[in-house]
Amino acid sequence: MESSKFPDSFAWGASTAAYQIEGGWDADGKGPNIWDTFTHQGGDRVYKNQTGDVACGSYTLWEEDLKCIKQLGLTHYRFSLSWSRLLPDGTTGFINQKGVDYYNKLIDGLLEMNVIPMVTLCHFDHPQAIEDQGGWLSEKTVEIFEQYARFCYATFGDRVKLWITINEPYFASKLSYEVGNFPPGKKEVGVGAYQAGHNMIKAHAKAWHVYNNCFKDKQKGRVSIALDSDWAEPLDADSLADQEATMRYMIFRLHWFANPIFIDGDYPAIMKSVISQKSKEEGLKTSRLPEFTAEEKAMIKGTADFFCLNYYTTRKVKPLDSTSSQPLGNSDVGAEGVTDPDWPLAGPEWLLVVPWGLRKLLAHVKDSFGDPEIFITENGFAQTDPPLLHDVQRWGYFQETLAEILKAITVDGVKLKGYFVWSLIDNFEWTLGYNVRFGLFHVDFEQPNLPRTPYFSAVEYAKVVKGN
Ligand code: BGC
C-alpha cells in the first residue's frame, strides 16, 4: 500500500447489527421480531436451521465487544437498535425499560472509550407485531417508524450524533417481499419490493424531518440512510446494449433509493418508464411502481445529511437473457450481472473481491449525488467455516481496498469521511447462519462463553487505524 495517510479526522470503524450479534431473543421483555419468527419456523430456509437466539450473546457480553473495539483502536462503532427490544409491539404504547438500559450501557461504554456511536434504527429486523399489520407493505408502518425514530432520538440523542434510519432498503424490500428468502418470506414478484421500498423511503424521510425539526438544534447530530450497491461495468465495453444494461443495473439498485433522497424526491425517469410500460403490457391499469405525490416528493428530497454506502462486490453486466434462469424480480431491470473468473472469491458465492470497484463506485456517488460527504458504512470479506485465524489472504483484500479508497480521496477528490469494516465480530450471517464469517474477531460459537479472538486482519487493521 502507498505510504500516504488518510485525512486526520478520518473515521475508522466496524459495524454490526442487533439481530446478528445480540442473542437474548426473549430476554427481559423483548418482543419477537420477524427474524425470531422466521428462524423458529425452521424449514431449512437458514443454514442448518440456525437462529439468532443466542448469536454472539452481545446482549450480556457487550463488554467483550467493547474490548474488541478498544483493541482495534476504533474511532467509531456502528451498531443497530433492536426495535422490538425497545418497543416490544413496535409502538411507543409500551416501552421496555430493560431494552433502553441495555443500549444506554453500550452507548455510555463507547463514549467512555472516546468511540463515537453510529446507530441504525432498523437493520432488517422489524417487530413481528408490525409485520402482522402488513410490515413494510403497509403505509401505516411509515408513521409507526416515525414515532419509533422520535423515541430513539429523545432517548439516546443526547449522546448519539450519527443516525442511520434504515439499513439497505434495496435488500430489505427485495429479499423480504419479492424473493422471499428473508422474513416474512413474501414472494410478490414485481410488486412487493416496490411497495415496501416506497414505504421505506417515506418512513426514512419522515424520520429525517422529525430530527431536523425537533432535535437537530439541540442535539446537533446528523441523519442518513445506508444504501448498498455493487459497482457495475458493461461486459463488453464496446457494446451499446451492455452499456445500457449496466446503466439500468445501477439505476434499479442504487438510484432507486438515492435519487429520491439525494436528487429530486422521485424515482429515476428510466425506472418509472420501464415499469409503467411493462405494467401496461401486462394489462394493468396503473404502474406496478407506486407514485409519490408532489407533496411527498418535496418531503423526501434532500433528506440525508451524508451518504452511507455499503459496498461488497462488482459485476459485469449484459442484457437479461430471457432463456436463462433468473433470480425472481429481475425482469424489469432487463440486465444481469456476471462475474469475471479472475476475481477471487471471499466466502459466500456472491462475494467476488473487486477493490477497484469501490473506488469507481465512490466516484459515481460523488458525481451523481452532488459530491456528498460519504461514509463507507460496510465493507468486508468472509471466510466459510472453519475459518483461518491467520487470515493473511483476507487481510490482503482489505489492504487493496484501503489503497483504492485512499486514491478515491487523494486522486478523485471524493469527500470520504470514514470506513467501517463489516463486521466487528463473526455473527449470524442471515440465511447463511454461522457458516460465513465476516468478523475481525473470531467467535467460538461452540463454547458457552462465546470467546472473541482477533484474526490476523484485526491485528493489522489496528495498525492502520493507529497510523491513520
Ligand atoms: C448487511 C449485513 C450483512 C452483510 C454481509 C449487508 O448486506 O447489511 O447485515 O451481514 O451485508 O452479507
Side-chain angles (χ1 to χ4, degrees), residues 20 123-124 167-168 310 312 350 378 422 429-430 438:
Q20 293 179 275
H123 193 125
F124 298 167
N167 181 67
E168 301 188 350
N310 294 355
Y312 287 91
W350 59 267
E378 283 182 33
W422 183 269
E429 178 51 22
W430 308 116
F438 274 97

